[in-house]
């Protein structure tokens, strides 16, 4: 008879969520408890906003736009990445 892999699966997914700093419920899209779920979403949104402002905008978006301007794909203009 084959053993039920559910417990192993949950343990591995929880470990992945913890390692990446992603709330378990957000990773799986589970909304079991409204209060805990809203706290997870708020915390996750704060983390993603920090990533956007500290990593994505200055290190990804801005260099791509600057490169496109340098290649004359985009017109040179002042811009603000938000």
């Amino acid at each position: 008879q084959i053993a039920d892999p559910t417990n192993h699966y949950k343990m591995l997914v929880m470990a992945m969520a913890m390692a990446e700093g992603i709330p378990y419920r957000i990773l799986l899209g589970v909304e079991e408890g409204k209060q805990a779920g809203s706290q997870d979403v708020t915390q996750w949104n704060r983390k993603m906003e920090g990533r956007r402002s500290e990593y994505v905008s200055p290190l990804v978006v801005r260099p791509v736009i600057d490169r496109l301007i340098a290649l004359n794909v985009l017109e040179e203009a002042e811009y603000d990445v938000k």
Side-chain angles (χ1 to χ4, degrees):
Q1 198 173 57
I2 299 174
D4 182 14
T6 304
N7 290 333
H8 298 289
Y9 167 78
K10 282 185 178 180
M11 183 182 68
L12 291 172
V13 171
M14 286 180 150
M16 287 176 12
M18 286 189 298
E20 294 300 319
I22 303 170
Y24 178 76
R25 291 182 180 151
I26 289 179
L27 181 65
L28 293 183
V30 177
E31 280 297 328
E32 294 173 356
K34 294 241 181 220
Q35 184 178 14
S38 66
Q39 289 173 349
D40 287 346
V41 169
T42 301
Q43 178 185 7
W44 181 250
N45 287 341
R46 270 195 223 123
K47 182 175 182 172
M48 290 299 97
E49 179 57 38
R51 184 161 173 83
R52 263 191 302 272
S53 64
E54 296 171 19
Y55 175 74
V56 176
S57 291
L59 300 175
V60 177
V61 176
R62 209 168 257 291
V64 168
I65 292 173
D66 291 342
R67 182 75 172 147
L68 291 173
I69 290 171
L71 295 171
N72 293 319
V73 175
L74 295 176
E75 286 186 27
E76 190 165 345
E78 287 195 28
Y79 65 92
D80 187 29
V81 178
K82 295 181 182 183

